[in-house]
Amino acid sequence: MSIGTRTGSRGWRRILAIALGAGLLATVGLVAGCGNDDDASGAEAPLRVGYQRFGGLSLVKARDAAAGTSWSLFESGPALTEAFKADAIDIGQVGEAPPIFAAAGKIPFKIIGTSAEIPEGEAVLVKEGSGINSFADLKGRTVALNKGSNVHWLLVRLLEANQMTLDDIQVKYLKPAEGRPAFDAGQVDAWIIWDPYFALAEQPGVKILANATGLAGNREYLLVSPDALKNKPEQIRAFLETYREVTDWGIANPADRAKILAPELKIPEDVTTRALARSARPLAPVTPAIGDELQAIADGFTKLELIPTSIDMRDRVDARFAEVLG
């Protein structure tokens, strides 16, 4: 599918502005994280939530459904995991690769929830008329992606599926706000990206070369700091109950969901609708099988020397809230 050039351009300018402002919002979150746990009246400290525009948490925020919550916006999963390192957030949502890189960087967190698989929500985009008709055609070409994000694992799986290695392509690590202009200007041959940036880029002249179907689950993962697990367990439980209720409502009411989220995302409603149709999935509890899945991803990155050493992802999985998300 494609959208009109004018609408897509306006949407992209908006999302670019959002991305550029993410650092400021993250800084606000850092400052907030330095405050006292209790105010002068002894009120309970808010649960500090890190989110990315479009993830399931965006709907909770857009509906103002979680009382006692403070929000910090991040452009990508890797940026969000850095906030755990700085003790700036208590809980946050990322894709499947950021927890691996964060664990390799010895950032403290546990994984307390996930989602159903979302393979259609990330894709390799190329230009029509480029002569690129399969991933194998990218040999010797430049491929852009956000380092350490969910699409990094998709790249690894695509290389394996096509009997290629990282040496067969030229990888250019670009954040979403950098990747789209580079792709539009022809500075890279392919861009591997996720929704809603994916949906915004579906312009005339752009085609989907491949998505993650059959290659990567592209699940969302809910990360929480060990201190929050210790000090705010009931707040976390209440938040998860709200998160699941809102997510289930959105899946059951897709038209209303898009109307609510489009202003929050600051992108057109038709783009929001299309992106949500393929990328919004129900929440799910973490299980030993999820730990095995994450461990396989970590082992893959270790083998390619994309992370410096072997890590134990199974130990990061904490199923204490399984009944809330199950």
Side-chain angles (χ1 to χ4, degrees), residues 265-276:
L265 302 177
K266 294 182 171 57
I267 61 177
E269 190 173 319
D270 62 328
V271 179
T272 303
T273 299
R274 183 170 68 253
L276 287 168

Side-chain angles (χ1 to χ4, degrees), residues 18-304:
I18 291 162
L20 292 174
L24 176 60
L25 286 172
T27 301
V28 172
L30 285 170
V31 173
C34 296
N36 294 327
D37 283 348
D38 301 292
D39 62 21
S41 66
E44 192 172 49
L47 187 69
R48 303 169 300 167
V49 182
Y51 77 109
Q52 301 175 65
R53 289 203 185 266
F54 187 72
L57 293 181
S58 287
L59 185 58
V60 178
K61 181 179 182 296
R63 293 189 68 190
D64 195 22
T69 300
S70 65
W71 297 87
S72 294
L73 174 65
F74 298 89
E75 182 186 5
S76 65
L80 189 151
T81 59
E82 284 295 316
F84 281 109
K85 186 176 182 179
D87 188 28
I89 59 173
D90 298 316
I91 192 168
Q93 181 186 51
V94 298
E96 58 198 352
I100 311 300
F101 284 83
K106 304 187 185 307
I107 294 175
F109 67 87
K110 290 289 187 177
I111 302 167
I112 60 170
T114 185
S115 72
E117 293 187 342
I118 319 168
E120 302 90 350
E122 57 181 358
V124 183
L125 304 181
V126 297
K127 296 288 186 62
E128 293 280 6
S130 64
I132 301 171
N133 299 306
S134 69
F135 189 82
D137 291 337
L138 288 172
K139 190 169 185 178
R141 309 253 196 160
T142 303
V143 179
L145 69 147
N146 193 89
K147 185 176 183 178
S149 66
N150 54 335
V151 293
H152 208 151
W153 180 237
L154 175 57
L155 172 64
V156 171
R157 296 291 288 129
L158 283 163
L159 290 170
E160 291 176 351
N162 288 274
Q163 293 79 52
M164 296 165 65
T165 71
L166 284 168
D167 292 332
D168 290 320
I169 60 174
Q170 299 175 48
V171 179
K172 194 166 185 177
Y173 292 124
L174 298 174
K175 296 176 181 179
E178 303 165 330
R180 174 67 187 278
F183 179 67
D184 285 348
Q187 296 169 356
V188 298
D189 297 297
W191 187 30
I192 313 182
I193 192 60
W194 64 89
D195 275 321
Y197 304 102
F198 170 17
L200 280 163
E202 289 182 277
Q203 301 287 325
V206 174
K207 71 176 180 179
I208 300 170
L209 189 67
N211 64 28
T213 300
L215 297 170
N218 189 35
R219 298 180 192 272
E220 293 179 348
Y221 289 93
L222 201 60
L223 277 51
V224 66
S225 76
D227 283 348
L229 276 175
K230 178 182 177 181
N231 299 321
K232 301 179 178 180
E234 294 311 312
Q235 286 174 267
I236 292 171
R237 183 176 297 277
F239 182 80
L240 293 179
E241 289 172 349
T242 298
Y243 185 17
R244 179 177 179 181
E245 178 183 340
V246 170
T247 298
D248 291 347
W249 174 88
I251 291 171
N253 299 275
D256 291 334
R257 176 182 61 188
K259 287 179 182 178
I260 290 171
L261 264 181
E264 173 70 25
L265 302 177
K266 294 182 171 57
I267 61 177
E269 190 173 319
D270 62 328
V271 179
T272 303
T273 299
R274 183 170 68 253
L276 287 168
R278 66 186 170 214
S279 291
R281 295 291 184 272
L283 299 175
V286 289
T287 63
I290 293 296
D292 292 341
E293 190 173 305
L294 285 165
Q295 190 63 52
I297 297 171
D299 293 344
F301 282 135
T302 302
K303 182 179 179 181
L304 291 172

